[in-house]
Structure formats: structure tokens, C-alpha cells
């Protein structure tokens, strides 16, 4: 006859195996939806407006902000973005909220763009582990 600890251990291992199997099944079923856009510096992107997504009756609200320019991606995976006039956003943005902007024509960046952003500040932000704003 099994003791209570042995029964709990057996039950725990079955639950864990079921969780792993469910995660693998979900990943296999949704492989076409999972994307990692690895945006480079200077690419144009759109940022999802999560407030509009949460407010269902407001159908006229913009779903995306942009286009925005990618400055860099930090070690935590979040993107630092700026507006087309060069004003950087004050917060990192979660990679889940960023999607490519499909421009009809290219938008060249002027020389000396973001000259006021020091290399020390860029290095500091790139090294951060911040996962970004959801």
C-alpha cells in the first residue's frame, strides 16, 4: 500500500507530464502564429495600442501607434523606439506589441538623426533587462 507522500509524488509527476504535453501540443498547433521579428536599428514599426484592445466598445480607436523608428533592442527583449521627429519614447516596449510597418516607400533617416542621444545612454539602455511595457 502506498503512503500519502508516494501518492502525492505520483500525482505530481502525472500533472507535470500533462502540462508539458499540453505546452508542446499548443506550440505545434500554433507554430504559424509564433513570430520573432528581430527588428534592426532604423526600421519602421507599429506599436499596438493595448488600451484600445481592452476597451471593446471603442471601435473607432486606433489599434496601433506609428510608424515609429527602432533605436535598439535591450537584453530583456524589449524595443526602444522613437517617433519620426526623433523624440524617443520614455519607456521600452514589449516585443509582443511591436509589428512591422509596411511602408509604400522608404523613409530615409537624415544624417545626425538622434544626435542628442549619447552613446553612454544607449549602452545603458541596451544592457537593461527590462521586458518592456505590456
Amino acid at each position: 500500500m502506498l503512503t500519502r507522500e508516494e501518492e502525492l509524488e505520483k500525482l505530481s509527476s502525472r500533472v507535470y507530464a500533462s502540462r508539458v504535453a499540453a505546452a508542446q501540443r499548443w506550440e505545434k498547433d500554433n507554430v504559424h502564429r509564433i513570430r520573432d521579428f528581430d527588428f534592426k536599428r532604423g526600421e519602421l514599426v507599429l506599436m499596438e495600442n493595448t488600451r484600445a484592445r481592452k476597451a471593446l466598445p471603442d471601435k473607432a480607436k486606433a489599434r496601433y501607434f506609428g510608424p515609429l523608428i527602432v533605436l535598439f533592442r535591450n537584453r530583456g527583449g524589449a524595443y526602444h523606439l522613437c517617433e519620426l521627429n526623433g523624440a524617443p519614447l520614455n519607456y521600452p516596449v514589449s516585443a509582443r506589441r511591436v509589428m512591422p510597418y509596411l511602408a509604400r516607400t522608404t523613409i530615409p533617416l537624415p544624417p545626425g538623426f538622434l544626435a542628442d542621444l549619447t552613446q553612454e545612454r544607449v549602452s545603458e539602455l541596451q544592457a537593461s533587462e527590462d521586458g518592456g511595457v505590456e
Side-chain angles (χ1 to χ4, degrees):
M1 183 166 193
L2 297 175
T3 64
R4 179 173 172 81
E5 289 80 21
E6 291 172 346
E7 288 179 13
L8 288 175
E9 183 65 35
K10 187 176 179 181
L11 182 62
S12 175
S13 65
R14 283 190 8 214
V15 168
Y16 179 73
S18 175
R19 286 176 51 204
V20 169
Q24 290 172 344
R25 187 173 49 252
W26 184 90
E27 189 171 324
K28 186 183 92 179
D29 292 345
N30 295 294
V31 70
H32 62 282
R33 293 184 189 184
I34 301 171
R35 296 184 220 160
D36 183 20
F37 295 110
D38 188 27
F39 296 112
K40 304 297 180 213
R41 181 183 177 97
E43 288 189 45
L44 295 175
V45 295
L46 296 173
M47 180 178 69
E48 181 184 11
N49 181 3
T50 55
R51 288 186 182 171
R53 183 179 54 161
K54 293 175 185 174
L56 293 176
D58 298 332
K59 293 181 180 180
K61 284 189 178 178
R63 293 185 182 181
Y64 296 96
F65 297 118
L68 301 167
I69 300 171
V70 174
L71 295 176
F72 53 85
R73 189 174 188 177
N74 67 13
R75 287 184 7 187
Y79 287 98
H80 288 265
L81 307 173
C82 71
E83 296 185 21
L84 291 177
N85 65 1
L89 299 182
N90 294 329
Y91 50 88
V93 179
S94 172
R96 187 190 64 75
R97 292 182 61 195
V98 180
M99 63 182 308
Y101 176 75
L102 304 175
R104 295 182 184 184
T105 60
T106 60
I107 301 175
L109 299 178
F113 187 70
L114 296 173
D116 60 338
L117 193 62
T118 64
Q119 187 59 37
E120 294 169 353
R121 179 68 178 144
V122 169
S123 299
E124 176 187 319
L125 292 172
Q126 281 179 330
S128 72
E129 294 286 338
D130 191 358
V133 177
E134 280 291 324

